[in-house]
Structure formats: structure tokens, C-alpha cells
Amino acid sequence: MELNSVRERIDAIDNELTRLFTERMQTVAEVARVKKATGKVVRDPARERAVVNRVTAQAGDAFAPYVKNLYGLIFELSRNYESMLMGERSPLGDRIEQACREGEGKRLPGRALVACQGTEGAYAQQACEKLFEYPDILYFDSFDGVFNAVEKGMCEFGVLPIENSTAGSVTQVYDLMEKHSFHIVGARRLRIDHHLLRKPGATGPIRRIVSHEQALRQCSEFLSAHPEYEAVAMANTAVAAQFAADSERDDVAVIAAKTCAELYNLEVVGESISNVQSNYTRFICISRRLEIYRGARKISIMCNLPHEAGSLNSVISRLAIAGINLCKLESRPIPGRDFEFRFFFDLEADPRDPEVVQLLCELERKSEHFVFLGAYEER
């Protein structure tokens, strides 16, 4: 009975808090109207600081940290509401809306010149053929070469691996994103089935395994069971297959797709050696132009946030308030800035929703550096 009595008091306090919060937000709307009429910006750091100092002093030392965190959230909600009422937006909003209008009813073209890293037989080639019905593929030695080909207009599109379900993110690709101007226009998940291949007729023991570093990680359990193998990372699984086929050594094997056995006259000596059979890699399709095709329900952004407590939490809280699912968060070091990081967000959201566009404009304003990477369909 005593607990129930205490809970009744809490319920009464919650009712009063809700009433007061609603009244505060209604007053915020009045503030927004005045600011819009006078040309003032939404955020006033000096005012926020003064409020925090006042309310934490009233709360006393025991509750001051809790009150400070509470008002941080209240300020965040108030700023978001003010921005919406004031209709604040950036040129980014216009670009997204224009791309949505122009892409209405369209999909990736069936025929295109597409840049891929590696050589014939690479998993990127398989992803490319899933994205395009009749691709004309131009191969490059590096991921940087793919970005350059798209950025300079040599190829209309490029296909790059971005993440594996077991080995994690392809950090090389994330690190190159800051260097290049591009947009993500599509994505495809491809099941990866690694096999062990070697020259036909080779009977001696295997001493060296070559493959891409991601493939080696995805088959780490197999390699651990064979400590006698020397694992050597190469630029691509198909490049490694070609190397094994051309090598004068008979003790070299390669981890690659079964299609590479046919392409490079190798034989399968180990079937499906990945750590897990449910092994998928996400590939992104990039373009120089911002294109938002029919069916786009995923949005990717890149931003540098202020190097201060709560800046990342502020973004995540704002996404939660908007009901947007954050399906991936990646951080990469910012070169030249010790222990500061650039963040990549993948969001499940509709770029045609005005509230989503407004939110992206808000995130752009609160970021030190912000890049809208694209809105696209992922299959």
C-alpha cells in the first residue's frame, strides 16, 4: 500500500510536468514567431547557459547533474520545434526535393558504363550485374580508382563494397568518401560463398593462401585450423585467383568465388569455407550526380560533430524523436585531429517526407561539416 501511495504521488507530479511542458512548448512557439519576425537565429547559447545555471542552482548539488541533462534535452526539443515553425532550411532541402521530382518513376538504367575494383570474377562484378541488367564494366586496381572514375566522369556509375555481415565495414571505402565528390544511388546485398581454389593436378601441400583481406577475415576459422598456411592479402579475390593461376608455385591456393575457378582454370579443393554460411556483403552504387530513384527508403549522411560532450547523443536523440531508425553508425578518425572522429549514418527514412528533409537541414546546421551522401533503394 505504501508503494502504491508513492506511485500515486509520482503520477500526480507527471501530470503536472506534462501540463507545464506543453505550456512551455506553446510559449516556444511564440518565441519562434518573434525570432522569425526579427530575423534572429534559433539557438542562443548565452540564454541556454543562463537557464542551466539558474535551474541547477535551484536543484541543489545532489540533483544539479540530472537537471542539467534534463534541460539539455528540453533545449534540443525546443530548438527542433522552433526550427520547424520558422521553416528554417538550407539549399540542401531544395536539392533533395528537386532530385526526388526528377527521379519520380525512374530506376537505375539497364545499360551503363560502371567502374569496379579488381578484375573479372570479382564479387563486385556479381553485385554490378545484380544492379544493372546490361553493365559495361571497367576495372580499376583500387577503390580510389573507382571513385576517381566516377568523379571525373569517366564512368557514369561505380560499385564498391561497404560492409560485410561477419567481417564488418570496409574501412578503406569509408576513408575515401571524404576525399571524393559522389552520391550513393543504389545498394545491393550479395551472398558471399568463399571456396578454396588451386591449380588443377597440384598434389603437394598448400603453403600459401592469397585473397582479399576481407575474405581472409571471413574465413578466419578455416585459416586458424591450418596454421601451416601463410595468409597473404591482395587487392581483390579475383586478382588473387589470377595470381594463383599464373604463379609458378604449386603450393599457392586462393580464397575466392567458385566462378573464379572457371575463369582462371582452377579447381575447387575446399567448399564453402566462410566462418558462417549466412555471409553477405553490401555494395553501394555511386554516381557523380544526385539521383533519387523510385523506391528510395534509405539515406546516408556523413558529418563532423562538435568535439564536446553530448554532440553525438543530440543527433541520435533527434532521430529517435522523429521515429527514424538508425540502422548503421560508423566512425572514422579525422586526419590531423587527434582522437576526433567523422561519423557516417545510415537511416531508414523517406527522402520525399518533408519532415525528413527538415531534419536533414537541421543536422546540417548543427554539424561542423555535413555531406548528404544520398537516398537510395537497397535490395
Side-chain angles (χ1 to χ4, degrees), residues 303-305 307 331-334 337-343:
C303 62
N304 300 354
L305 299 175
H307 191 54
S331 64
R332 297 298 301 155
I334 300 175
R337 296 170 66 173
D338 294 341
F339 302 106
E340 294 189 36
F341 296 87
R342 177 178 301 115
F343 295 97

Side-chain angles (χ1 to χ4, degrees), residues 193-227:
D193 191 12
H194 292 306
H195 301 273
L196 187 65
L197 318 176
R198 70 182 303 191
K199 287 182 179 180
T203 57
I206 296 171
R207 302 195 183 280
R208 176 177 290 182
I209 302 286
V210 295
S211 194
H212 187 266
E213 60 179 355
Q214 280 268 335
L216 295 175
R217 287 205 293 272
Q218 292 161 29
C219 301
S220 60
E221 293 178 7
F222 171 81
L223 294 172
S224 295
H226 295 278

Side-chain angles (χ1 to χ4, degrees), residues 177-189:
M177 285 184 174
E178 175 63 19
K179 293 176 53 180
H180 296 281
S181 177
F182 69 97
H183 293 93
I184 303 173
V185 296
R188 182 79 189 207
R189 296 186 183 195

